[in-house]
Amino acid sequence: AQTVTQSQPEMSVQEAETVTLSCTYDTSESDYYLFWYKQPPSRQMILVIRQEAYKQQNATENRFSVNFQKAAKSFSLKISDSQLGDAAMYFCAYRTGTASKLTFGTGTRLQVTL
Amino acid sequence: GAGVSQTPSNKVTEKGKYVELRCDPISGHTALYWYRQSLGQGPEFLIYFQGTGAADDSGLPNDRFFAVRPEGSVSTLKIQRTERGDSAVYLCASSRTSGRTGELFFGEGSRLTVL
């Protein structure tokens, strides 16, 4: 069974600084997708960034980028120039290439301080 | 609608009662998912619909849980004989296709509290 592990229950970053959230996963599949979702207090999960396992290049979306280490099964999220609006729960998620359901980690709560 | 709509936003019920949670997906989205998020945890998959049929219901915890999507749009998650352990936020998501390549759009969830 696939598992997703987020070992940092909470992280804190100062506004305008950079923070990295960690995620590891376990799978025997070769075709899969990885995601980072943001969940603010409104409870709505919002897609931040997506990475296809077959792509060697790390995905980037504006201030958000990932460090995808396929051999190590590691998928960390880097947030640059942190803003107060980035404060939320962040979930790492995995999906195989053939299935549609997502497997989520337990989340990391990110605080952004002035 | 503009986004995925879930009702009710909050539901408090007594142990043993029957509960229905509704999800109205984005218009035109054929795929619909239900997830359950317990306190301090990530969402856990319950069931996935492609059109009117349940393509994967492997996440339903037991036969007290049932979901329908009779016309391929609105879906209802039904929980019979509720137990305190059913207390959680129930999230619905939809996507334009199967979701494998398409983005999932989530609603704000229905928080269920079983007393």
Side-chain angles (χ1 to χ4, degrees):
Chain A
Q2 293 87 14
T3 58
V4 178
T5 302
Q6 294 180 250
S7 59
Q8 305 157 315
E10 289 192 15
M11 292 286 285
S12 183
V13 63
Q14 283 192 321
E15 199 177 16
E17 296 297 309
T18 296
V19 65
T20 298
L21 308 185
S22 301
C23 173
T24 59
Y25 59 95
D26 186 22
T27 183
S28 58
E29 303 284 336
S30 59
D31 179 23
Y32 55 88
Y33 300 81
L34 296 163
F35 307 82
W36 279 97
Y37 278 87
K38 172 184 178 181
Q39 187 178 42
S42 70
R43 303 194 304 235
Q44 185 181 28
M45 303 282 282
I46 302 165
L47 178 64
V48 174
I49 199 164
R50 174 174 66 192
Q51 175 80 43
E52 292 85 348
Y54 64 84
K55 289 187 177 178
Q56 293 185 341
Q57 187 172 7
N58 289 323
T60 298
E61 289 287 343
N62 300 314
R63 299 183 295 108
F64 299 88
S65 62
V66 299
N67 184 3
F68 174 45
Q69 300 290 326
K70 191 171 184 178
K73 295 180 181 173
S74 171
F75 182 62
S76 60
L77 174 69
K78 185 172 83 170
I79 305 174
S80 304
D81 185 26
S82 297
Q83 300 176 358
L84 294 177
D86 295 335
M89 286 291 293
Y90 285 82
F91 291 94
C92 179
Y94 162 98
R95 188 188 71 220
T96 68
T98 54
S100 293
K101 63 185 179 184
L102 292 167
T103 299
F104 287 88
T106 53
T108 297
R109 181 177 301 281
L110 178 66
Q111 293 183 319
V112 181
T113 59
L114 294 172
Chain B
V4 178
S5 175
Q6 291 189 245
T7 55
S9 179
N10 291 283
K11 173 72 176 178
V12 180
T13 191
E14 293 180 343
K15 180 175 179 295
K17 298 291 188 182
Y18 169 81
V19 166
E20 288 190 352
L21 306 176
R22 175 189 167 107
C23 173
D24 198 343
I26 294 172
S27 178
H29 281 194
T30 60
L32 185 145
Y33 305 78
W34 285 99
Y35 286 81
R36 178 170 70 173
Q37 186 174 18
S38 301
L39 191 63
Q41 300 296 316
E44 292 179 303
F45 170 78
L46 294 177
I47 187 169
Y48 154 56
F49 286 91
Q50 184 59 247
T52 60
D56 184 353
D57 64 358
S58 62
L60 293 177
N62 51 60
D63 60 6
R64 295 187 298 105
F65 288 75
F66 189 71
V68 296
R69 194 186 185 198
E71 298 178 358
S73 179
V74 170
S75 176
T76 304
L77 179 66
K78 307 180 180 192
I79 310 173
Q80 297 178 322
R81 304 183 304 280
T82 52
E83 300 177 357
R84 292 193 179 88
D86 299 335
S87 295
V89 174
Y90 290 81
L91 295 168
C92 177
S94 70
S95 69
R96 189 178 304 279
T97 58
S98 66
R100 273 184 259 167
T101 53
E103 180 180 346
L104 263 63
F105 294 85
F106 283 82
E108 294 187 350
S110 294
R111 182 183 297 281
L112 174 65
T113 303
V114 182
L115 301 177

